Amino acid sequence: MHATTGADGTVTAVVDAGGEPWERVQALLERRLYDLPPESLLEVITADQHVSAALPGWCSTAGSTLLATEETADATSFLVRVPARTEPPVASTHLPEMP
């Protein structure tokens, strides 16, 4: 993932997944999602059709918004808005009440 700088509306980071399988791309996205600023733009580029098929559903599950998809003969590019939440979800635990 390569971070870039720019005014509002520019891509903040790019994940060029090449032909990597969805399992590897998903793991990378899940690790990096909360490192990015809230509401920033992430571009994901892939040559793997399984990634292209899985990414829209993953965006919905992760709270991200898929803004655009562009297909070429060699790859598909996705523009994703990172969710406003910047911290990973924390599992709640039930603590006993104090006397």
Side-chain angles (χ1 to χ4, degrees), residues 20-70:
E20 292 292 328
W22 171 241
E23 293 78 19
R24 289 183 57 128
V25 175
Q26 180 183 15
L28 173 66
L29 293 174
E30 289 175 355
R31 283 193 313 269
R32 300 293 184 220
L33 185 64
Y34 298 103
D35 292 341
L36 296 171
E39 307 272 330
S40 62
L41 297 177
L42 170 66
E43 182 178 11
V44 180
I45 303 166
T46 181
D48 187 303
Q49 292 301 317
H50 298 290
V51 173
S52 295
L55 190 68
W58 177 85
C59 285
S60 178
T61 302
S64 299
T65 304
L66 180 58
L67 299 174
T69 303
E70 182 179 327

